[in-house]
Amino acid sequence: MRRIILSFSICLLLTGCYYRPDTPRGSFAKGADISWLSEQEADGVRFFNADGESEDCILLMRDMGMNAVRLRVWVNHSTGWCNKEDVVYKARRAAQSGLRIMIDFHYSDNFADPSHQAIPAAWRDYTYEQMRQAVFEHTLDVLNALKEARVRPEWVQVGNETPNGMLWPMAFLPDSTENTGGCWERYAGLTTAGYKAVKEVFPEAQVIVHVDNAWQLREWFFRNMLLYGGKFDMIGLSHYPMMLQWSGKPWHEMNSLAEQNIRQLIHTFHCPVMVTEVGTLNSDEQLAVTVMQDFVSRIGTIDSCAGIFYWEPQCYGGWKPNEYDALGWGPYDMGCFHADGTPSEVLEIIFN
């Protein structure tokens, strides 16, 4: 009996050691992916409030109403950004500021998305069973580091924008339900390895499987995921309604379709849906305001829509990360700060 009481007391003590968010678990998330922040700060980028006073970016957005941050994890990026140590540093800062945390595992050394799902260099020659173990151990390693830093994520993404699978070519998925060469079994198995690692460290964390293009209804993807043994607690979607060249549809139609699809996914799979990425082109700020007002008003009426995260709003002034230079890309053009380093009205819409 004394041993049971002692174990219970230790559990209470450990639980009490985590940083506590200012908003309750399960409430609507008004968040931002700020994964570039530490790199920006190292480059000397500064942020300012409406009075022109320099402020910590996290505190500035928190005071505007942000209650959560999303942070991506790369396995071994060449620059060292978004690795385990960098993610723990940013997550601890955010948690100390009373914010809720989402961790986004890419399982790659660089950006993973529907066009890029490259196997990390260190895993390149692995068999399928070795790859499953690597996904499990990498997820476990990062989450245990967060636990040691007293950070408890509320959400964990297992893969980033994976409608075409991940860790290519091992778990590449054709744009169909066909289980060609066992591809769906491999994808579901790798995702489940990440799921199990999350639950081992943080049993209450919500595990998210994430796809792009909220305007496209992909019930078939999640049905197949479950059919082949995949597990998830929440569906994550990306939504970039001003990207006409991607969809061939005007923003108001994309917003309407996204709303319909979120409702349908919630109804079909009986789980919450999170808009884990949203972004607008802010070269025309008034249009961006109109687009986001429309979208936020739509999803705010949906029961079981768990929240919205703007993707890298803190970018401004032509800043771009190292990997953009290496790829020959221009600056990220969907940030929500003015040229003087002050936040725009778009952020007020997201965070209010």
Side-chain angles (χ1 to χ4, degrees):
M1 179 61 73
R2 288 183 60 191
R3 183 178 297 173
I4 293 172
I5 293 171
L6 179 59
S7 298
F8 182 68
S9 300
I10 290 171
C11 287
L12 287 176
L13 179 61
L14 290 174
T15 301
C17 284
Y18 290 112
Y19 294 108
R20 294 178 179 271
D22 293 338
T23 52
R25 179 185 178 88
S27 58
F28 192 83
K30 302 173 182 180
D33 188 312
I34 57 168
S35 299
W36 274 326
L37 181 60
S38 51
E39 185 178 355
Q40 289 179 280
E41 292 171 335
D43 285 345
V45 177
R46 299 172 66 196
F47 305 91
F48 301 88
N49 61 27
D51 296 325
E53 299 166 333
S54 179
E55 279 199 36
D56 178 282
C57 184
I58 292 174
L59 299 180
L60 175 60
M61 292 196 289
R62 181 202 65 184
D63 292 345
M64 293 180 67
M66 179 177 75
N67 63 26
V69 300
R70 177 179 185 250
L71 301 168
R72 66 177 159 270
V73 185
W74 290 326
V75 175
N76 186 24
H77 191 270
S78 59
T79 64
W81 301 114
C82 296
N83 62 12
K84 178 176 69 174
E85 292 75 19
D86 184 40
V87 169
V88 170
Y89 165 71
K90 288 174 292 195
R92 186 166 186 170
R93 280 177 59 186
Q96 285 174 325
S97 301
L99 300 174
R100 299 147 73 192
I101 309 295
M102 179 190 295
I103 299 298
D104 173 19
F105 284 93
H106 283 227
Y107 302 114
S108 185
D109 289 336
N110 210 320
F111 281 110
D113 58 39
S115 300
H116 313 86
Q117 295 282 343
I119 291 175
W123 305 357
R124 197 163 289 152
D125 298 324
Y126 284 3
T127 65
Y128 171 66
E129 289 304 324
Q130 289 173 323
M131 195 73 77
R132 284 189 66 185
Q133 190 64 25
V135 167
F136 179 83
E137 290 178 356
H138 169 63
T139 308
L140 207 67
D141 181 45
V142 173
L143 295 182
N144 274 323
L146 289 165
K147 189 173 186 177
E148 290 174 9
R150 298 191 291 150
V151 176
R152 177 164 47 193
E154 185 170 341
W155 314 273
V156 178
Q157 265 191 224
V158 175
N160 189 76
E161 292 189 333
T162 60
N164 300 321
M166 62 185 188
L167 294 160
W168 293 349
M170 181 174 287
F172 173 80
L173 298 177
D175 190 18
S176 72
T177 59
E178 294 299 318
N179 187 31
T180 307
C183 60
W184 272 99
E185 291 167 335
R186 290 193 297 274
Y187 169 69
L190 291 166
T191 305
T192 300
Y195 183 98
K196 289 179 178 177
V198 174
K199 296 299 184 179
E200 184 167 315
V201 185
F202 295 111
E204 295 183 356
Q206 295 283 288
V207 177
I208 299 173
V209 168
H210 174 214
V211 299
D212 64 332
N213 296 348
W215 53 273
Q216 291 181 307
L217 181 59
R218 288 196 174 105
E219 285 183 292
W220 61 269
F221 175 89
F222 294 100
R223 288 186 192 281
N224 248 35
M225 176 77 167
L226 294 172
L227 177 64
Y228 289 100
K231 295 182 179 181
F232 56 89
D233 304 315
M234 183 179 289
I235 291 170
L237 303 174
S238 296
H239 185 57
Y240 293 92
M242 295 175 74
M243 299 291 97
L244 183 65
Q245 71 272 27
W246 293 355
S247 67
K249 303 177 186 298
W251 66 263
H252 47 83
E253 183 179 354
M254 290 179 74
N255 280 357
S256 177
L257 288 170
E259 178 192 0
Q260 294 174 39
N261 293 342
I262 290 169
R263 292 182 184 277
Q264 184 62 42
L265 290 169
I266 291 168
H267 173 75
T268 301
F269 297 102
H270 308 289
C271 72
V273 172
M274 175 84 79
V275 182
T276 60
E277 292 183 26
V278 71
T280 58
L281 292 169
N282 290 298
S283 52
D284 183 340
E285 185 176 333
Q286 191 50 56
L287 177 58
V289 166
T290 300
V291 172
M292 290 312 303
Q293 281 178 328
D294 177 76
F295 184 62
V296 170
S297 67
R298 288 175 179 275
I299 67 168
T301 66
I302 303 174
D303 291 339
S304 294
C305 181
I308 181 171
F309 285 75
Y310 198 98
W311 201 76
E312 303 282 10
Q314 77 283 357
C315 293
Y316 77 94
W319 181 86
K320 57 182 175 179
N322 273 323
E323 63 265 15
Y324 275 31
D325 274 330
L327 294 167
W329 294 355
Y332 176 66
D333 58 3
M334 287 188 274
C336 293
F337 276 68
H338 296 128
D340 62 357
T342 59
S344 74
E345 189 179 344
V346 174
L347 274 191
E348 296 176 10
I349 293 164
I350 297 288
F351 297 152
N352 285 335

